Amino acid sequence: TAEHLTHSYTERLLLDDTSFSLNENEKVGIIGINGTGKSTLLKILAGTVEPDNGKIIMGRNLRIGYLSQKPEFSQNISALEAALPLQKDISDSPANYEPQAKNMMNKLGFKNHSQPINELSGGQRKRIALIRTLLTPADILILDEPTNHLDSAMNEWLEDYLKKYRGALIMITHDRYFLDRVTNKTFELENGRFRSYNGNYSAYMAQREIDKKTEQRNYDNTM
């Protein structure tokens, strides 16, 4: 649960007294034009950024998996090593995840599992970070642009994976079709204002159109 979140970047108000809850098995897409604070909201939920005001309340022992927009890795490790969960996030050995990691790497276009992470492009590194996030046990997945740098087959694989994922999911993606097929709730950020809609992207668009007509009608009645 987020309670009364307020946050500014420079002089721009991104979140203005924002409150909402994320429930078990909900799959949420965040909508808003660039610069509205979508990534900042994810960082606050993931605990990497502190809000100016407000707080996040979570269940005890809740595990969060977070894919940032620009993931970072240790230097001088292989792509396979980078794809494994970090030791601090698991109770067993990262090596136990190698078979799954290799399978995911094959699905996402990696043929040379031992290639140094430093030699990979930005898009490849993002895909490796996606694998690491998906492999790390989590009750909530927080994904910032997971569909970037994926071709249609990779997109399809990720869509299927997230549909079957049993935890809660909150993500940003500009792929409207992906949102339609994966999400069942939509959060909208606009000029610091936050709105929650039940349903996927298409349901959100339909409801948003109704809301706009209602707002216009109310405005006209005051004139």
Side-chain angles (χ1 to χ4, degrees):
T1 299
E3 291 188 350
H4 306 292
L5 297 181
T6 301
H7 194 76
S8 298
Y9 180 72
T10 60
E11 295 182 356
R12 184 170 187 177
L13 184 62
L14 300 177
L15 301 172
D16 185 8
D17 196 25
T18 295
S19 298
F20 61 87
S21 293
L22 181 64
N23 300 311
E24 191 176 359
N25 298 325
E26 281 187 334
K27 292 181 167 62
V28 179
I30 302 181
I31 303 298
I33 62 173
N34 289 341
T36 55
K38 300 188 300 295
S39 290
T40 300
L41 176 58
L42 292 194
K43 290 176 183 176
I44 290 172
L45 295 178
T48 63
V49 167
E50 285 290 324
D52 296 337
N53 289 294
K55 59 183 177 180
I56 303 292
I57 301 171
M58 295 190 182
R60 184 174 295 183
N61 300 322
L62 199 66
R63 299 168 300 175
I64 291 179
Y66 173 50
L67 175 69
S68 69
Q69 210 168 44
K70 296 179 180 178
E72 297 180 355
F73 299 94
S74 300
Q75 300 299 308
N76 303 317
I77 60 174
S78 69
L80 175 59
E81 290 172 312
L84 300 176
L86 299 176
Q87 183 64 70
K88 68 180 181 64
D89 295 326
I90 55 177
S91 57
D92 52 347
S93 169
N96 293 340
Y97 295 81
E98 283 192 14
Q100 291 170 276
K102 289 177 179 177
N103 181 52
M104 287 184 173
M105 290 176 76
N106 293 338
K107 297 284 187 184
L108 296 184
F110 293 97
K111 296 180 180 179
N112 182 5
H113 297 172
S114 60
Q115 186 174 4
I117 190 72
N118 297 340
E119 294 181 2
L120 300 184
S121 67
Q124 289 173 319
R125 289 161 69 94
K126 183 68 181 276
R127 296 205 300 273
I128 288 292
L130 174 61
I131 294 171
R132 182 175 66 186
T133 304
L134 296 180
L135 282 178
T136 303
D139 304 296
I140 300 176
L141 278 180
I142 299 175
L143 307 179
D144 197 341
E145 297 287 4
T147 57
N148 277 10
H149 313 292
L150 301 185
D151 63 23
S152 58
M154 297 173 189
N155 222 36
E156 217 170 279
W157 173 83
L158 179 61
E159 176 190 319
D160 186 59
Y161 185 97
L162 294 179
K163 279 181 181 177
K164 294 175 180 176
Y165 176 67
R166 292 183 178 274
L169 165 69
I170 182 166
M171 68 174 172
I172 300 166
T173 175
H174 295 291
D175 188 333
R176 298 176 177 182
Y177 300 104
F178 191 87
L179 286 172
D180 257 351
R181 292 189 287 259
V182 174
T183 63
N184 54 30
K185 196 167 188 176
T186 303
F187 291 166
E188 179 194 61
L189 278 179
E190 183 181 35
N191 298 322
R193 294 187 305 164
F194 175 91
R195 291 177 177 172
S196 176
Y197 295 84
N198 290 321
N200 61 11
Y201 183 81
S202 291
Y204 151 76
M205 288 297 290
Q207 185 58 50
R208 189 73 183 98
E209 189 63 31
I210 293 171
D211 289 349
K212 284 184 177 179
K213 288 180 180 178
T214 301
E215 288 171 5
Q216 185 63 49
R217 193 159 53 242
N218 291 340
Y219 175 79
D220 292 342
N221 289 339
T222 63
M223 297 301 289

